[in-house]
């Protein structure tokens, strides 16, 4: 009898340990900070300390589908998803936009979430063209912004900071080479996730991760 | 004994009949489906319903009644404003110069059987004739 009791005790202990570790894991579900990081040394209170500087999205100036000049201020205090496309793209963009609409519908009206779609063909994609595209896609308002601007600036921010492939390539269908990535950015401008915007799997992962990231700011 | 034999003969003939054009239709349908997924579904979507006001649907579109036009548009693309199921669309569709005549025949067969009224495939000869007489769409 005593042996049985002991066994039950051990069993209960193991079960409790298992459950708490599971819950513990769940609490720690945090997204990584992606991109190159630099280590800088600085002096605090007379002591030399090492600090890590993460890749962060720099300030920018683009023009949105309303024709307004916008800067990093539009995403201040918000998390956002960035991608790169062009309106005449015959290949992956329509899929990306179809998938992004799902993300948009999921977080529509949430003041903490935005979407920035950058055109990589700004010569063709003027604010008017982008406005028509947004309307035809069924997007109103300013939560999802379609940005155009100086080509070099768009390519630079895309390649170096959002870590996506953005290139002009006459041999590619439509004339541009670009990745189908959706990039998730936190309120500190750090890249917290990269997702394949051409797949349902990638899109669902992004939708789930946005929730995780939003929860980080709730405490 | 004779009854099952007659039945067997009947069934065999049925399948034999099928093997001629129905089997070819199935083959065109399957090939066409693959091509559709690669070249068309990005915009027109896998279910043929198009995408909001950006890309027109094929389902219920009157263009499916004109297979020569479908073949020409697949090959040469189209531009300008069109009206599909009461909605206006005006984004250009790119040309597909790399598609061969047989591939276009398979595509036309697929969309006509899937969303049009066809139950049989569209032969390559019909597509060849159509492509020789294309007007600008």
């Amino acid at each position: 009898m005593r042996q049985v009791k002991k066994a039950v005790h051990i069993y209960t202990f193991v079960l409790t340990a298992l459950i708490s570790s599971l819950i513990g894991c769940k609490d720690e579900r945090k997204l990584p900070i992606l991109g190159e990081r630099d280590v800088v040394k600085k002096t605090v209170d007379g002591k030399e300390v090492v600090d890590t500087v993460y890749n962060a999205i720099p300030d920018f100036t683009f023009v949105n589908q309303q024709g307004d000049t916008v800067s990093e201020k539009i995403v201040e205090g918000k998390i956002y998803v960035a991608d790169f496309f062009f309106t005449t793209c015959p290949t992956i963009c329509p899929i990306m936009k179809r998938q992004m609409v799902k993300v948009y519908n999921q977080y529509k009206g949430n003041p903490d979430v935005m979407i920035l779609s950058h055109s990589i063909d700004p010569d063709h994609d003027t604010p008017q063209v982008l406005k028509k595209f947004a309307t035809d896609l069924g997007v109103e308002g300013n939560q999802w912004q379609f940005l155009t601007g100086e080509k070099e600036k768009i390519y630079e921010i895309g390649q170096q900071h959002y870590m996506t492939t953005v290139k002009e390539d006459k041999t590619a269908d439509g004339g541009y080479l670009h990745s189908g990535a959706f990039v998730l950015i936190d309120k500190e401008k750090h890249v917290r996730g990269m997702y394949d915007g051409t797949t349902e799997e990638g899109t669902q992962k992004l939708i789930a991760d946005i929730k995780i990231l939003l929860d980080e700011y709730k405490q | 004994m004779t009854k099952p034999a007659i039945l067997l003969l009947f069934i065999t003939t049925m399948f034999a009949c099928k093997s001629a054009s129905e089997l070819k239709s199935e083959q065109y349908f399957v090939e066409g489906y693959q091509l559709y997924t690669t070249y068309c579904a990005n915009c027109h979507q896998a279910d043929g319903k198009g995408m909001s006001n950006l890309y027109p649907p094929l389902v219920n579109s009157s263009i499916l009644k004109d297979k020569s036009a479908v073949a020409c548009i697949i090959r040469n693309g189209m531009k300008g404003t069109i009206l599909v199921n009461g909605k206006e669309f005006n984004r250009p569709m790119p040309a597909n110069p790399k598609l061969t005549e047989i591939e276009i025949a398979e595509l036309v067969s697929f969309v006509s059987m899937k969303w049009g009224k066809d139950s049989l495939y569209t032969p390559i000869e019909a597509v060849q004739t159509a492509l020789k007489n294309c007007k600008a769409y």
Side-chain angles (χ1 to χ4, degrees):
Chain A
M1 194 61 197
R2 196 173 265 178
Q3 282 234 315
V4 174
K5 230 180 184 177
K6 204 175 177 186
V8 169
H9 273 306
I10 291 172
Y11 179 72
T12 317
F13 175 76
V14 170
L15 198 72
T16 317
L18 205 76
I19 290 172
S20 31
S21 65
L22 264 173
I23 295 170
C25 278
K26 212 175 176 188
D27 274 347
E28 281 164 32
R29 263 173 86 205
K30 262 188 120 180
L31 305 176
I33 295 176
L34 305 177
E36 275 182 40
R37 53 196 64 182
D38 278 332
V39 176
V40 289
K41 285 183 182 150
K42 57 182 179 184
T43 317
V44 179
D45 299 333
K47 277 186 195 165
E48 194 174 76
V49 292
V50 177
D51 202 8
T52 313
V53 178
Y54 295 97
N55 167 49
I57 307 301
D59 295 352
F60 56 82
T61 307
F62 295 124
V63 180
N64 70 10
Q65 75 268 33
Q66 321 290 359
D68 297 329
T69 301
V70 295
S71 70
E72 71 290 342
K73 294 218 164 50
I74 53 166
V75 287
E76 212 169 70
K78 295 169 194 286
I79 70 170
Y80 68 100
V81 183
D83 76 341
F84 293 82
F85 84 114
F86 56 110
T87 62
T88 53
C89 161
T91 52
I92 60 173
C93 313
I95 310 174
M96 288 170 71
K97 287 293 156 280
R98 183 189 70 203
Q99 296 302 97
M100 192 68 100
V101 165
K102 293 179 186 171
V103 180
Y104 175 66
N105 286 336
Q106 201 72 34
Y107 292 99
K108 207 174 191 170
N110 187 328
D112 288 333
V113 181
M114 278 189 79
I115 301 172
L116 302 185
S117 287
H118 305 71
S119 169
I120 56 169
D121 184 13
D123 297 336
H124 175 269
D125 292 342
T126 59
Q128 293 89 322
V129 171
L130 291 174
K131 172 83 184 167
K132 172 104 175 66
F133 185 85
T135 309
D136 285 351
L137 191 62
V139 177
E140 302 288 343
N142 276 329
Q143 191 181 3
W144 185 348
Q145 305 223 355
F146 296 80
L147 305 177
T148 182
E150 264 178 73
K151 195 183 237 174
E152 292 72 30
K153 296 280 178 206
I154 294 170
Y155 285 29
E156 187 189 308
I157 205 168
Q159 290 270 44
Q160 293 181 15
H161 300 285
Y162 289 112
M163 305 185 289
T164 64
T165 304
V166 187
K167 272 192 208 129
E168 220 165 330
D169 183 347
K170 294 277 173 265
T171 62
D173 281 332
Y176 297 90
L177 200 68
H178 67 120
S179 88
F182 290 164
V183 190
L184 179 60
I185 311 295
D186 69 13
K187 295 185 183 179
E188 286 72 43
K189 310 281 172 65
H190 295 142
V191 176
R192 301 298 293 273
M194 308 270 298
Y195 311 86
D196 185 351
T198 64
T199 65
E200 183 61 24
E201 200 189 354
T203 311
Q204 291 306 326
K205 176 102 173 42
L206 170 60
I207 289 173
D209 280 3
I210 290 176
K211 172 140 195 340
I212 295 173
L213 189 53
L214 284 172
D215 286 345
E216 263 186 38
Y217 293 100
K218 273 191 183 151
Q219 285 114 33
Chain B
M1 188 64 204
T2 40
K3 254 190 184 170
I6 290 169
L7 194 70
L8 193 72
L9 192 72
F10 184 66
I11 291 172
T12 326
T13 349
M14 253 179 66
F15 276 104
C17 278
K18 190 180 174 176
S19 67
S21 65
E22 281 185 27
L23 268 186
K24 200 156 188 184
S25 297
E26 275 172 29
Q27 183 200 330
Y28 272 53
F29 189 90
V30 172
E31 299 280 339
Y33 168 71
Q34 310 272 4
L35 291 163
Y36 180 83
T37 307
T38 309
Y39 294 98
C40 319
N42 283 359
C43 294
H44 295 293
Q45 304 298 308
D47 60 7
K49 288 184 180 157
M51 190 167 150
S52 48
N53 290 357
L54 287 172
Y55 314 112
L58 299 173
V59 178
N60 296 327
S61 168
S62 59
I63 196 79
L64 292 180
K65 288 177 200 147
D66 186 350
K67 281 188 277 184
S68 300
V70 174
C72 289
I73 293 167
I74 292 172
R75 162 68 60 88
N76 302 325
M78 82 186 295
K79 55 182 166 209
T81 303
I82 52 164
L83 201 65
V84 183
N85 303 345
K87 263 207 276 189
E88 254 185 32
F89 296 89
N90 54 18
R91 275 163 212 288
M93 167 170 154
N96 291 284
K98 283 180 202 155
L99 287 178
T100 60
E101 285 167 346
I102 179 73
E103 285 173 326
I104 293 174
E106 287 163 344
L107 270 171
V108 173
S109 300
F110 171 74
V111 297
S112 306
M113 288 192 281
K114 179 90 177 164
W115 296 302
K117 296 219 168 5
D118 282 18
S119 54
L120 290 177
Y121 74 106
T122 305
I124 186 168
E125 293 77 21
V127 167
Q128 281 167 335
T129 315
L131 291 180
K132 270 185 207 125
N133 302 302
C134 280
K135 59 175 177 113
Y137 286 95

